[in-house]
Amino acid sequence: VVLELQAQRAVELGLDADEGFQAAQQRAEAQLREARRRELARLFRTREVLDKIVVGEDDARRYFEANRARIQTQLSVHQIVVNGRAAALAASARIAAGSPFEEVAAAQLPVQIPGQTPWALPPLAWEQVPTEWWAAIDGLRPGEVSAPIAGPSDRFWILKLIARAENPAVTVELAQPRIQAVLKSLKFEERRDQLDRELRARASVSFTSP
């Protein structure tokens, strides 16, 4: 209450014309507009995209049959993660020249702790494997190393397949909830991209200086 009374008195005295106050108010208003924009966009994506996606049992069964080999497989993988194509090609060249994969992986870490091997991933089920990996993983035999794989935000992976273990106990019934979640995510991205293109095509955008 006291703050509000002080603020009202400041306006009466014309202090709201102070340059420092005006600049602070403009920053606050810009932050409010950005927060409003983000929240409305999130609500739009939820109501107009996510909530309208339906993935049924038949969709899950078709996906299972088309991807049975992947779904019924568990992978053991070592990875090297670098930023930028140049760094990825350099790491790949070192491995091709004979440097052990693990040595090159360790060299990418800012800090090395004896006995720890963070490049060795725990066994991965199919839904834990990044989409970008599959084309490379499908063609590898245990012990083989992939070429650099491009990911988002200029990230690159180099993978070494350690083992591929079949698990036929994973049935369509067991996998169905995970399949439906994966399909819903894929359909969300596809529908979101489609809506983005439609919105851009209809938009009239102009930029003004502050």
Side-chain angles (χ1 to χ4, degrees):
V1 174
V2 172
L3 284 176
E4 176 60 26
L5 293 173
Q6 291 174 347
Q8 291 179 12
R9 183 57 180 153
V11 172
E12 292 173 1
L13 295 172
L15 299 181
D16 55 334
D18 177 78
E19 290 185 1
F21 169 78
Q22 290 289 330
Q25 180 173 262
Q26 289 175 4
R27 289 194 298 270
E29 289 173 347
Q31 291 171 351
L32 178 60
R33 289 194 298 271
E34 177 63 15
R36 175 182 178 275
R37 183 184 302 116
R38 288 183 179 278
E39 183 58 21
L40 283 172
R42 183 200 64 78
L43 190 60
F44 171 77
R45 292 193 300 268
T46 299
R47 298 285 179 85
E48 295 300 316
V49 183
L50 189 61
D51 289 351
K52 294 185 177 182
I53 296 173
V54 177
V55 179
E57 292 184 10
D58 289 343
D59 297 313
R61 289 184 178 276
R62 284 192 292 270
Y63 185 89
F64 180 86
E65 293 304 326
N67 298 275
R68 179 189 292 267
R70 290 178 177 176
I71 294 171
Q72 293 184 327
T73 297
Q74 188 176 69
L75 300 174
S76 294
V77 175
H78 289 182
Q79 67 167 352
I80 294 172
V81 185
V82 296
N83 291 320
R85 182 177 296 276
L89 292 175
S92 185
R94 285 188 59 192
I95 295 169
S99 295
F101 184 95
E102 292 70 21
E103 177 184 300
V104 178
Q108 312 307 316
L109 303 176
V111 177
Q112 298 182 34
I113 301 176
Q116 292 193 7
T117 57
W119 53 84
L121 301 179
L124 301 174
W126 66 275
E127 76 274 16
Q128 297 172 305
V129 178
T131 303
E132 296 91 346
W133 289 15
W134 278 117
I137 287 286
D138 285 341
L140 292 180
R141 291 177 295 184
E144 292 183 336
V145 176
S146 74
I149 302 167
S153 303
D154 204 30
R155 170 185 289 185
F156 285 80
W157 296 283
I158 301 173
L159 307 177
K160 180 179 180 181
L161 180 62
I162 304 303
R164 180 186 280 113
E166 294 184 12
N167 186 8
V170 179
T171 63
V172 64
E173 290 77 17
L174 287 175
Q176 180 177 315
R178 291 178 291 170
I179 291 174
Q180 288 175 311
V182 168
L183 287 178
K184 190 161 188 175
S185 176
L186 292 173
K187 289 187 176 184
F188 171 80
E189 293 179 8
E190 180 182 333
R191 177 59 179 153
R192 181 195 59 194
D193 291 346
Q194 178 186 349
L195 280 174
D196 286 349
R197 289 192 296 271
E198 292 173 0
L199 290 171
R200 287 176 180 273
R202 289 163 43 192
S204 176
V205 180
S206 61
F207 296 92
T208 57
S209 16

